[in-house]
Amino acid sequence: MAEEADSSRSWHRLFGVILTDFFTGCPFEVEVEKDLSLKKQLLDIVIVRKGPGECPRPLPDGLTELAAHNLITFKSFQEPLDAWALKELLGHYVNYRKQVSPSPKQLLSEEEFHLFAVCARYPRDLAAQVPLEEVNAGVYRCRWAVDVVRVVVLHQLPLSAHNAFLHLFSALPEQVRYGVSHFRPVSGETSTLLGQLLDRYEGEGVEMGYTAKDFRRDFVNELSPEERLKGLSPEERLKGLPAEERLKGLPAEERLKGLSPEERLKGLTPEEIRQLMERLRADSSPPPA
């Protein structure tokens, strides 16, 4: 196997050397075995199957046919899904498939990889260049040479609970509001991200008619008292409590921790301070011989 790789590399180098010679004196430069890892290339999302079984919740439209490896490019409402985006996705696919396969000579089967392009708006320019075959509302099949990319258009997805998390990213007020009201986070920490998402829309001038403040109010009202406390800072938990309630249960040494001598004596009359000093002197006096 190593000999085959060396042989193949030798042919590549010879081809490059001959090309270098051919283009000598021309306004072109030939670079042989250029290292493309110098510039970091980031794949938006990859979903990898880690074990057998089915997902315990309905998958959203367009993402129902998952393979062992699922590569996703995502374009927000500010970005178009165009031909270049698909070329990048296919380039990532080639590199990724090489990395997860046993070796360049033993690539995993193509059936183990699915490609997805999720976009907020319908890609009109792309549709003018390559046919988009509609599978169902908001879901298309795009054939790119010998590969197939499943295109999911968020603006066109039906308002259904299983599509709720996708609706959050559509930037259409009606869909976003539906997504917020129907999305059920699996992790408690994820719920705070919904507020951040609405903040992001507001910051970019997208009028939702439903603000992050509205969401936080509604979301907190649905929580149990224990869940509400988890999301509060120590200051928020103590807000509104009288001093005696804040200190209840704390031993005296904990209450006084961090206070200066002046602060500890504050509120005592001179006579009380004098009596306290006398008791301290008596307690610290050595016992009679």
Side-chain angles (χ1 to χ4, degrees):
M1 190 68 69
E3 292 180 359
E4 290 182 9
D6 290 340
S7 175
S8 177
R9 195 172 295 114
S10 296
W11 280 107
H12 294 168
R13 288 172 180 165
L14 282 172
F15 183 70
V17 170
I18 298 300
L19 277 179
T20 301
D21 176 78
F22 178 84
F23 281 103
T24 299
C26 296
F28 295 95
E29 179 183 5
V30 177
E31 297 183 43
V32 181
E33 294 188 333
K34 183 173 179 61
D35 185 358
L36 297 180
S37 65
L38 295 177
K39 184 174 178 60
K40 183 182 289 186
Q41 299 292 318
L42 299 178
L43 171 64
D44 285 346
I45 300 163
V46 59
I47 302 174
V48 182
R49 176 176 281 280
K50 289 297 185 181
E54 300 297 327
C55 188
R57 60 198 62 88
L59 294 171
D61 292 343
L63 299 180
T64 55
E65 299 178 14
L66 294 180
H69 302 269
N70 305 275
L71 284 64
I72 302 176
T73 182
F74 171 71
K75 297 300 177 185
S76 71
F77 69 99
Q78 295 181 327
E79 308 167 282
L81 176 66
D82 53 19
W84 181 252
L86 292 194
K87 290 178 181 178
E88 282 191 321
L89 177 61
L90 290 167
H92 289 320
Y93 158 62
V94 171
N95 287 330
Y96 179 84
R97 187 180 175 197
K98 288 180 179 179
Q99 290 183 28
V100 299
S101 295
S103 75
K105 295 294 183 179
Q106 284 183 289
L107 294 177
L108 294 177
S109 169
E110 290 190 13
E111 284 69 30
E112 296 192 45
F113 301 85
H114 283 176
L115 306 178
F116 298 87
V118 180
C119 56
R121 299 180 278 119
Y122 181 75
R124 298 189 181 280
D125 291 342
L126 177 64
Q129 296 177 277
V130 293
L132 297 181
E133 176 189 349
E134 186 173 14
V135 178
N136 46 53
V139 181
Y140 299 84
R141 183 181 293 110
C142 176
R143 295 192 177 276
W144 193 274
V146 297
D147 295 298
V148 175
V149 179
R150 293 157 181 80
V151 178
V152 183
V153 182
L154 305 186
H155 282 186
Q156 298 180 351
L157 291 180
L159 292 178
S160 301
H162 65 279
N163 291 330
F165 92 85
L166 290 179
H167 290 315
L168 295 172
F169 296 91
S170 70
L172 292 180
E174 180 186 2
Q175 287 190 337
V176 174
R177 288 196 296 270
Y178 182 92
V180 169
S181 61
H182 288 79
F183 177 57
R184 295 295 178 265
V186 179
S187 169
E189 290 76 14
T190 306
S191 58
T192 60
L193 297 179
L194 295 181
Q196 295 178 25
L197 178 70
L198 293 171
D199 282 334
R200 185 69 180 267
Y201 277 132
E202 292 174 25
E204 297 188 9
V206 181
E207 180 57 49
M208 285 292 136
Y210 185 82
T211 66
K213 184 178 180 180
D214 296 329
F215 163 72
R216 293 187 180 99
R217 178 201 62 220
D218 295 343
F219 178 73
V220 168
N221 288 338
E222 295 180 2
L223 296 179
S224 67
E226 294 77 14
E227 291 173 322
R228 294 184 196 183
L229 285 175
K230 287 181 182 178
L232 297 179
S233 66
E235 293 77 14
E236 291 172 325
R237 294 187 183 195
L238 295 174
K239 189 175 181 180
L241 287 178
E244 57 271 18
E245 288 293 326
R246 296 188 185 197
L247 298 175
K248 185 181 293 184
L250 284 178
E253 56 270 20
E254 288 294 327
R255 298 187 188 190
L256 296 175
K257 188 179 293 185
L259 296 179
S260 66
E262 292 80 8
E263 291 172 320
R264 295 187 180 198
L265 295 174
K266 193 173 182 180
L268 295 179
T269 65
E271 178 59 24
E272 290 172 328
I273 294 175
R274 185 186 64 78
Q275 293 176 3
L276 175 62
M277 294 297 294
E278 289 180 355
R279 285 202 302 271
L280 289 174
R281 289 194 191 96
D283 292 341
S284 61
S285 299

